[in-house]
Amino acid sequence: MRVAVVSDIHANLHALGAVLDDVAANEPDEIWCLGDVVGYGANPNECCEHIRERAGLVLAGNHDLGVLGKLDLAEFSDDAAAAARWTRTVLAGEHLPWLASLQPSSKRTTVELFHGSPRDPVWDYVLSDDVALESFALTSAPLVLVGHSHVALALGTGGRGVVGGLAPSGTELALGEHRLLLNPGSVGQPRDGNPDAAWLLVDFDTDRAVFRRVVYDVEGAQAAIRAAGLPDVLAERLARGL
Ligand code: ZN
C-alpha cells in the first residue's frame, strides 16, 4: 500500500489543490491527514470538502477543535483566535459534525498517528530530541506520524538516542531499519523557511518514504486571506515559509 500523508492544510485551498495534483500523479492507495484542515486560511469549506471526499483517515488538530469550541480560544495566539472566530462564521454547517467526529490520534497496523505528539496529541510539538525520545518510548509501532509543528522532520531511533532532523524536499528514507518518527510538514502554512507546500509519500510495499514539496500560487492564497479580512500577518508569512 502507498499512502500520501498530508497535514496542517489550514484552509489554504491554493496549496491543497497543488498538493492534491502532485498526490494524484503519484497514484497512492490512500490519503491520510494529520489534522488542522481549517484555521488561518480563507477557504475552510473547500478544504473540508476535498479532505472529506479523498482522505481515508483524518485526525483532529488543535485549530479544528478551536473552531468547534472544544478548545478555549484563549489558549491560541491573537491571530489564530481571530482566524478561528472568522472560520466559525463561514464554515458550512455540514462540515461541523464531520470535524466534531475526528480524534487527534489514531492507529493502523504498523503506524501510530498523532496531530501533536504521543505525550499530548492536541498541543505538544515534537521539535527536540528529548520529546522525540519520549514519543518513541510512549509508542511501539515501527512508524510514528505527527503534524502540528509545520516543520518537515525525519527522526529515527536505533536504541542510542535520536538520529535525523529536518527533512528537505526529496529526502528519502528506508522504513524498517530504525523506528521512525516523521512529520510531513505543512500543506498550507510551512514554517521551515521553504514556502512550498509539503507532503509525504509512504510506500509500504517498497518500504520507502519520500518528502515532497510543491510550488503553489502563494499570491492567490494571500489575496484570499486579505479579501476575507483576516490578519495580514497570516498572508505575509506564507511568502516566507515561516
Ligand atoms: Zn497547524
Side-chain angles (χ1 to χ4, degrees):
M1 184 167 77
R2 302 167 79 247
V3 177
V5 185
V6 299
S7 190
D8 297 279
I9 295 157
H10 285 295
N12 185 338
L13 180 62
H14 297 77
L16 181 60
V19 163
L20 289 176
D21 286 347
D22 194 39
V23 164
N26 283 274
E27 301 182 329
D29 299 293
E30 280 194 30
I31 297 175
W32 295 349
C33 174
L34 305 181
D36 280 358
V37 178
V38 300
Y40 292 136
N43 295 95
N45 288 308
E46 296 90 335
C47 291
C48 283
E49 275 163 32
H50 279 301
I51 294 300
R52 282 178 71 181
E53 189 180 305
R54 295 162 200 241
L57 182 157
V58 186
L59 302 183
N62 54 306
H63 288 258
D64 306 316
L65 297 169
V67 167
L68 289 167
K70 292 188 173 189
L71 289 181
D72 186 349
L73 293 181
E75 308 268 321
F76 288 69
S77 71
D78 289 349
D79 294 327
R85 280 191 288 271
W86 175 84
T87 303
R88 278 179 193 165
T89 67
V90 299
L91 195 64
E94 62 179 284
H95 298 311
L96 293 171
W98 172 68
L99 281 176
S101 73
L102 306 176
Q103 299 297 320
S105 63
S106 189
K107 202 168 189 251
R108 287 290 187 267
T109 317
T110 57
V111 189
E112 288 177 68
L113 309 95
F114 306 88
H115 177 67
S117 87
R119 306 194 319 172
D120 176 346
V122 174
W123 280 113
D124 194 35
Y125 294 95
V126 184
L127 283 170
S128 70
D129 285 3
D130 286 348
V131 177
L133 271 178
E134 270 192 68
S135 297
F136 280 121
L138 289 166
T139 52
S140 57
L143 177 61
V144 178
L145 295 173
V146 301
H148 189 46
S149 71
H150 300 204
V151 174
L153 280 182
L155 303 174
T157 181
R160 285 182 302 148
V162 172
V163 294
L166 296 176
S169 183
T171 298
E172 194 166 341
L173 11 120
L175 307 178
E177 288 178 10
H178 306 288
R179 292 187 63 211
L180 291 174
L181 185 150
L182 307 180
N183 184 325
S186 169
V187 170
Q189 195 194 81
R191 292 180 192 160
D192 54 7
N194 177 359
D196 298 343
W199 69 281
L200 172 71
L201 180 64
V202 181
D203 188 330
F204 293 100
D205 300 328
T206 60
D207 286 328
R208 309 290 297 175
V210 185
F211 286 83
R212 297 188 60 87
R213 298 304 277 261
V214 183
V215 174
Y216 76 97
D217 179 10
V218 171
E219 290 181 6
Q222 291 177 313
I225 286 171
R226 288 174 175 136
L230 289 162
D232 196 69
V233 66
L234 300 179
E236 191 268 326
R237 67 188 301 173
L238 296 180
R240 293 181 289 122
L242 290 172

